[in-house]
Amino acid sequence: MFKLYYAPGTCALASHIALEEAGASYAAERLDFKNSQQTTPQYLAINPKGRVPALVTDRGTLTETPAVLAYIAQSFPQARLVPDDPFAFAQAQAFNSYLCSTVHVSHAHKMRGYRWAVEESSFADMKRKVPETMAAGFALIERDMLKGPWVMGEQYTICDPYLFTIGLWLEADGVDVTTLPKVAAHRKRMSERPAVQKVLAEERA
């Protein structure tokens, strides 16, 4: 049995959906970020980074969304959550790495400027830039990366819950989703999947 530590509204949603899609046996443990539960000694003993997701397995704890997603996919090959072809799998990893290292970082500038600067004026400047950087990141996805109907084409993969998760932040980040018809259609397809509906209901409860 796996144990997933998550907080609502975070990127951990992608791993939560992937576990459900894979048919994994798991328990989901909610952290209260508003009360800084992620920085308590108890949680830091599990994940010293103080972030989510953290997936506890019988071999140890995994962190970072691309790694957790790949592990889930490879642990449940029957779910076919990654392409069999090595090059296509690398492409899926490239997509998820882009979401992790570029798009998510753009989003984080809105609330967590203290990671990169110390002046209050710098925080405000970074926050003002978020609509532009998020729109640019998703414009690239819309134009060049989202093959359709799923990210990798006809096969649903671990890229899809990750794109769905970060895409849920767009409106609050000041991005007009109507300018991203492929991304909007992908979100609709995702929202119709039973696993997604189940996980969203749990996280919003």
Side-chain angles (χ1 to χ4, degrees):
M1 158 123 22
F2 297 132
K3 188 170 189 177
L4 176 74
Y5 287 87
Y6 77 96
T10 70
C11 63
L13 175 64
S15 298
H16 200 167
I17 292 171
L19 285 167
E20 194 65 35
E21 295 276 15
S25 177
Y26 71 96
E29 182 77 20
R30 183 191 302 234
L31 296 180
D32 184 355
F33 272 24
K34 290 182 180 178
N35 290 315
S36 300
Q37 192 177 358
Q38 73 275 24
T39 61
T40 61
Q42 293 86 350
Y43 184 64
L44 291 176
I46 296 165
N47 181 7
K49 298 171 183 175
R51 301 182 188 181
V52 291
L55 183 69
V56 180
T57 79
D58 59 1
R59 297 181 62 183
T61 301
L62 288 171
T63 63
E64 305 300 332
T65 297
V68 172
L69 290 173
Y71 177 75
I72 293 168
Q74 292 181 324
S75 297
F76 298 90
Q78 71 279 4
R80 299 195 70 247
L81 293 176
V82 288
D84 295 327
D85 175 69
F87 186 80
F89 175 68
Q91 288 180 311
Q93 290 291 79
F95 183 87
N96 283 352
S97 295
Y98 178 70
L99 292 180
C100 181
S101 65
T102 300
V103 183
H104 193 160
V105 173
S106 295
H107 168 77
H109 278 71
K110 182 173 69 174
M111 300 170 291
R112 298 186 174 88
Y114 58 83
R115 291 179 180 171
W116 299 279
V118 295
E119 300 291 341
E120 286 291 335
S121 60
S122 298
F123 301 159
D125 199 27
M126 282 188 272
K127 187 173 182 178
R128 282 192 295 270
K129 189 78 171 175
V130 168
E132 179 186 336
T133 55
M134 287 295 285
F138 268 83
L140 178 62
I141 291 169
E142 175 86 13
R143 185 181 70 244
D144 296 329
M145 302 173 77
L146 175 52
K147 297 176 182 177
W150 306 113
V151 171
M152 295 296 295
E154 294 298 322
Q155 183 181 356
Y156 178 92
T157 69
I158 51 174
C159 299
D160 295 296
Y162 203 6
L163 176 62
F164 174 73
T165 294
I166 294 187
L168 291 176
W169 305 339
L170 287 172
E171 285 88 348
D173 285 350
V175 178
D176 182 1
V177 180
T178 64
T179 65
L180 304 165
K182 290 170 64 177
V183 170
H186 178 270
R187 178 192 291 185
K188 183 176 186 298
R189 278 190 291 274
M190 285 293 297
S191 67
E192 294 168 351
R193 295 181 71 87
V196 174
Q197 293 173 354
K198 179 180 178 180
V199 170
L200 285 177
E202 180 178 335
E203 293 207 2
R204 291 169 177 170

